[in-house]
């Protein structure tokens, strides 16, 4: 065992001396031997020992359990209780302070050593777990995405800062509260439907949902991930909420600009075709009136140009991309009436 | 003798249509735009109007609406003559207000047939 610093809190002088001898024999350093709760707190503050052996009954007003509680509030130091008393009430009170061991006097050296080793090992594992939890908590807290953990009765087990900003509540107002009380009804119903689905299928789900929050329309790309407990029964669902509102609004703006541009293009196209057909009309008219030898040929050429212009008309309208774009964003296809040959219908008498 | 009012901002086209119609036995009135057309209709009552769509500053559709709003001209049949393809939207919006439409280039026979059919000559 590497040299561990141990504080002994024991009001019986003989026991305290025996402990010091035993501990030093094991290779530990005894940083102090005190006999009251108050002195124990001071010594812990001063020496920051690796472990405290704490008698429950001490001189003075403060019990060992109270002293241990005060010390553990400030420092992460494992405590082993050491007592002649073993009545159930005392043990229960001691257990509540989460001790790392409990030794009943009289003790033997073997028992003492194994208890100390066990407590130090357990504490080192605790520290690793805490560091690991801290690491994940930091990652979750720093995430720009909202992270919520929802229990199977639909209340909030965890919410990071981004999630609290999305819900527009303080973090302290969220934890352990029912989701139902935190978000608008419509949003709750929508989320609950997905949560139910995740509980049934045990599968992750990802979907984009649109909500009205505090008068704003927001779009969220949300992952629902089932969290399984050790016995494999599902208990919680993690929601990772990515706010895509800015992206959606930008796409809409671009779509609108696209429509405006398309309309402009279409208008230009129409004007151009009209301008091409006017000289065709003049050529047709003059050719018919002059009755020259090339009349037939000229009219054939005019007809060919007219067919090309009509094709331009039709291709423009028929372009699948343009049409589907218009249908999606404009709710009509800008359709043009045409006959089977693709030439815009003319000379069709109507009512 | 039936009188046809030709409204087109292209002078050559006005002249050609006028010749077509004169040859076919109609008398003609000419207007180079929407405003001139409406002005003419205050003192003249043609039997039919040939109306171009793409005109500046007042286009054929606007002119058509105003023709149909004037008591003295609202009953005169209108034929749209256009180099621009008519969209479904335009058709839905104005279909009650014009008799038919002809795509340029239109031949003399074609023009004559359309007018004869409408005027039931």
């Amino acid at each position: 065992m590497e040299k561990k610093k141990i504080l002994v809190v024991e009001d019986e002088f003989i026991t305290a001396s025996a402990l010091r001898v035993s501990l030093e024999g094991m290779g530990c350093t005894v940083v102090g031997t005190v006999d009251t709760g108050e002195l124990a707190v001071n010594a812990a503050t001063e020496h920051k020992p690796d472990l405290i052996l704490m008698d429950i009954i001490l001189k003075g007003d403060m019990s060992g359990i109270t002293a241990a509680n005060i010390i553990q509030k400030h420092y992460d130091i494992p405590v082993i209780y050491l007592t002649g008393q073993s009545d159930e009430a005392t043990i229960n009170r001691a257990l509540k302070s989460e001790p790392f061991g409990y030794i009943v006097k009289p003790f033997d050296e073997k028992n003492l050593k194994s208890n100390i080793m066990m407590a130090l090992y357990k504490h080192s594992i605790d520290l690793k777990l805490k560091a690991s939890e801290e690491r994940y908590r930091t990652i979750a807290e720093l995430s720009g995405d909202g992270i919520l953990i929802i229990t199977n009765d639909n209340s909030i087990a965890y919410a990071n800062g981004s999630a609290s900003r999305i819900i527009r509540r303080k973090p302290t107002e969220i934890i352990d509260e029912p989701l139902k009380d935190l978000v608008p009804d419509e949003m709750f119903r929508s989320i609950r439907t997905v949560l139910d689905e995740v509980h049934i299928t045990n599968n992750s789900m990802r979907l984009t949902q649109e909500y009205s929050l505090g008068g704003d329309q927001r779009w969220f790309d949300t992952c629902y991930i089932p969290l399984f407990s050790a016995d494999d029964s599902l208990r919680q669902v993690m929601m990772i909420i990515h706010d895509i509102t800015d992206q959606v609004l930008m796409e809409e703006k671009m779509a609108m600009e696209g429509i405006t541009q398309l309309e402009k293009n279409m208008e230009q196209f129409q004007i151009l075709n009209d301008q091409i057909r006017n000289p065709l009309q003049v050529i047709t008219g003059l050719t018919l009136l002059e009755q020259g030898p090339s009349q037939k040929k000229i009219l054939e050429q005019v007809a060919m140009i007219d067919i090309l212009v009509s094709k331009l008309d039709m291709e423009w309208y028929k372009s699948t991309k343009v049409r589907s774009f218009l249908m999606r964003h404009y709710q009509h296809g800008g359709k043009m009436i045409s006959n089977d040959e693709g030439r815009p219908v003319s000379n069709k008498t109507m009512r | 003798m039936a009188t046809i009012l030709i409204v087109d901002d292209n002078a050559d086209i006005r002249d050609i249509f006028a010749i077509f119609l004169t040859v076919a036995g109609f008398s003609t009135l000419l207007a180079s735009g929407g405003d001139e057309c409406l002005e003419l209709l205050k003192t003249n009552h043609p039997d039919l109007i040939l109306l171009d769509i793409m005109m500046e500053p007042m286009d054929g559709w606007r002119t058509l609406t105003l023709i149909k709003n004037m008591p003295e001209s609202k009953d005169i049949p209108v034929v749209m003559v256009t180099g621009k393809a008519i969209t479904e939207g335009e058709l839905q919006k104005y279909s009650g207000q014009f008799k038919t439409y002809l795509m340029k280039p239109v031949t003399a026979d074609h023009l004559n047939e359309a007018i004869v059919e409408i005027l039931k000559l």
Side-chain angles (χ1 to χ4, degrees):
Chain A
M1 202 195 292
E2 66 177 284
K3 263 194 170 333
K4 292 288 181 186
K5 295 189 288 178
I6 297 183
L7 173 66
V8 175
V9 188
E10 171 61 69
D11 61 346
E12 289 168 34
F13 177 72
I14 294 166
T15 312
S17 303
L19 275 170
R20 177 183 281 274
V21 171
S22 295
L23 291 168
E24 284 174 351
M26 286 175 211
C28 298
T29 306
V30 177
V31 293
T33 307
V34 294
D35 56 4
T36 69
E38 290 85 348
L39 286 172
V41 174
N42 290 342
T45 307
E46 188 186 335
H47 299 295
K48 308 272 170 26
D50 296 309
L51 186 130
I52 298 171
L53 286 173
M54 178 81 78
D55 191 6
I56 289 179
I57 308 295
L58 294 168
K59 279 185 186 163
D61 296 331
M62 195 188 285
S63 78
I65 295 170
T66 309
N69 283 334
I70 293 171
I71 292 167
Q72 276 173 343
K73 244 180 226 165
H74 298 283
Y75 312 105
D76 195 7
I77 302 172
V79 172
I80 295 175
Y81 288 118
L82 197 64
T83 181
Q85 283 190 6
S86 57
D87 64 285
E88 208 170 310
T90 309
I91 293 172
N92 280 339
R93 214 154 56 82
L95 283 177
K96 271 189 192 152
S97 65
E98 296 179 4
F100 279 76
Y102 196 97
I103 301 172
V104 180
K105 291 187 270 190
F107 54 87
D108 59 44
E109 210 166 282
K110 223 168 132 192
N111 187 14
L112 177 70
K113 189 174 179 178
S114 63
N115 254 283
I116 290 173
M117 285 178 74
M118 191 64 84
L120 290 171
Y121 176 72
K122 196 165 158 257
H123 184 245
S124 74
I125 296 291
D126 274 11
L127 282 179
K128 278 182 193 158
L129 267 176
K130 273 181 195 161
S132 164
E133 198 186 314
E134 190 59 35
R135 202 156 49 232
Y136 287 119
R137 186 173 286 272
T138 306
I139 292 169
E141 279 303 325
L142 291 178
S143 169
D145 290 344
I147 299 175
L148 285 175
I149 294 177
I150 315 277
T151 61
N152 59 1
D153 61 357
N154 293 334
S155 57
I156 311 276
Y158 171 77
N160 71 349
S162 296
S164 81
R165 279 191 292 280
I166 287 171
I167 297 178
R168 297 167 194 225
R169 302 277 187 135
K170 287 180 195 147
T172 49
E173 295 172 354
I174 294 177
I175 303 302
D176 293 334
E177 293 298 319
L179 181 62
K180 190 168 161 302
D181 297 347
L182 298 172
V183 298
D185 278 355
E186 197 187 346
M187 182 171 173
F188 173 69
R189 279 196 299 274
S190 162
I191 291 174
R192 195 183 53 189
T193 308
V194 185
L195 289 173
D196 289 347
E197 179 82 16
V198 172
H199 280 288
I200 292 166
T201 61
N202 283 350
N203 286 327
S204 296
M205 289 184 73
R206 179 178 176 172
L207 62 162
T208 301
Q209 290 168 304
E210 183 187 348
Y211 301 119
S212 174
L213 267 171
D216 280 347
Q217 213 58 21
R218 311 295 298 180
W219 283 262
F220 299 110
D221 193 3
T222 307
C223 283
Y224 293 78
I225 300 157
L227 300 178
F228 296 96
S229 52
D231 65 356
D232 248 16
S233 64
L234 169 62
R235 284 196 319 221
Q236 298 178 324
V237 175
M238 176 158 68
M239 287 172 68
I240 300 175
I241 307 161
H242 185 53
D243 189 333
I244 55 165
T245 306
D246 290 347
Q247 197 182 323
V248 170
L249 292 179
M250 181 58 79
E251 276 171 12
E252 283 190 351
K253 189 167 165 252
M254 283 168 71
M256 278 314 295
E257 281 168 2
I259 288 168
T260 311
Q261 190 55 49
L262 268 177
E263 282 177 329
K264 275 186 192 156
N265 290 349
M266 212 182 264
E267 207 183 327
Q268 289 301 317
F269 221 80
Q270 297 288 308
I271 292 169
L272 194 61
N273 281 357
D274 188 69
Q275 284 171 350
I276 296 170
R277 285 195 177 102
N278 277 339
L280 291 184
Q281 178 65 68
V282 175
I283 295 167
T284 303
L286 292 174
T287 310
L288 285 170
L289 292 170
E290 281 176 359
Q291 304 272 330
S294 304
Q295 187 196 56
K296 191 164 171 267
K297 270 232 143 67
I298 294 171
L299 290 179
E300 275 171 13
Q301 297 301 310
V302 168
M304 280 172 70
I305 297 172
D306 183 39
I307 287 168
L308 292 175
V309 176
S310 298
K311 271 191 178 166
L312 288 176
D313 264 344
M314 294 315 298
E315 285 312 308
W316 177 255
Y317 281 103
K318 276 203 276 189
S319 157
T320 324
K321 238 177 156 179
V322 174
R323 286 286 301 284
S324 66
F325 183 86
L326 285 172
M327 288 303 261
R328 225 169 338 116
H329 294 284
Y330 209 54
Q331 295 306 307
H332 76 69
K335 270 189 291 178
M336 189 172 66
I337 301 106
S338 70
N339 59 16
D340 293 341
E341 291 92 53
R343 191 177 194 271
V345 176
S346 67
N347 198 27
K348 192 173 138 204
T349 307
M350 285 162 296
R351 210 164 30 83
Chain B
M1 190 192 280
T3 303
I4 312 295
L5 169 57
I6 300 161
V7 189
D8 201 305
D9 58 354
N10 184 313
D12 290 333
I13 290 177
R14 282 198 303 273
D15 290 345
I16 283 163
F17 284 171
I19 298 169
F20 280 177
L21 295 174
T22 308
V23 170
F26 297 105
S27 71
T28 56
L29 287 167
L30 305 182
S32 63
D35 288 321
E36 198 181 333
C37 163
L38 296 168
E39 200 55 42
L40 262 169
L41 289 172
K42 285 180 186 165
T43 49
N44 294 273
H45 193 86
D47 298 287
L48 188 140
I49 301 168
L50 294 178
L51 183 56
D52 184 26
I53 293 177
M54 300 288 258
M55 294 187 294
E56 291 287 349
M58 188 194 291
D59 75 2
W61 296 123
R62 177 76 189 140
T63 310
L64 176 66
T65 305
L66 294 174
I67 291 170
K68 292 297 161 184
N69 281 346
M70 281 173 23
E72 55 267 48
S73 60
K74 70 177 170 48
D75 296 324
I76 303 172
V78 177
V79 173
M80 307 306 285
V81 186
T82 175
K84 166 195 166 304
I86 290 182
T87 64
E88 213 171 61
E90 288 169 333
L91 198 58
Q92 276 170 9
K93 198 167 170 192
Y94 300 107
S95 66
Q97 299 179 36
F98 63 95
K99 287 290 180 184
T100 187
Y101 69 94
L102 300 172
M103 287 294 294
K104 292 174 187 170
V106 59
T107 63
D109 289 348
H110 209 157
L111 188 62
N112 196 27
E113 275 168 28
I115 295 171
V116 166
E117 192 184 331
I118 291 165
L119 295 181
K120 310 260 185 266
L121 295 172

